[in-house]
Amino acid sequence: QVQLVESGGGLVQAGGSLRLSCAASGIIFSSAGMAWYRQCPGEQRDLVATITSPGTTTYADSVKGRFTISRDNAKNTVYLQMNSLIPEDTAVYYCTTFWGRQYWGQGTQVTVSS
């Protein structure tokens, strides 16, 4: 079965950095496009960044220049490097992929204090 397991969230001060990881299993990872979303309480889940199987990336305007999505196919892992964090980045961050259907991880909380 497909599993996505996020890690790396936590509490950080504004201006700080965090790196999120998402370990995937049950898919041919090197062939899968991956993405990160985030969700604040009571709000919709918003796209943060995507990476295709060849490695092409896209970003939401709100994180361009601060966040970097990358992948390590040898480790079946996708990363989200988050720099210059601001309080508005506080959310639960989810890893996702489409492999026959959409799969989501359990999410990891990121809290940025001012």
Side-chain angles (χ1 to χ4, degrees), residues 38-103:
R38 65 187 182 186
Q39 186 171 26
C40 298
E43 297 186 11
Q44 67 181 17
R45 198 169 290 188
D46 293 326
L47 180 63
V48 175
T50 69
I51 186 165
T52 65
S53 53
T56 302
T57 59
T58 66
Y59 298 93
D61 287 344
S62 59
V63 306
K64 277 181 183 176
R66 300 188 298 121
F67 290 11
T68 302
I69 188 171
S70 62
R71 63 190 299 154
D72 185 337
N73 290 339
K75 295 182 178 179
N76 287 3
T77 300
V78 62
Y79 303 98
L80 186 67
Q81 177 68 43
M82 305 185 296
N83 299 329
S84 302
L85 284 161
I86 58 177
E88 290 75 14
D89 294 321
T90 296
V92 177
Y93 284 71
Y94 296 91
C95 172
T96 185
T97 189
F98 186 88
W99 194 258
R101 68 167 180 87
Q102 200 77 27
Y103 290 91

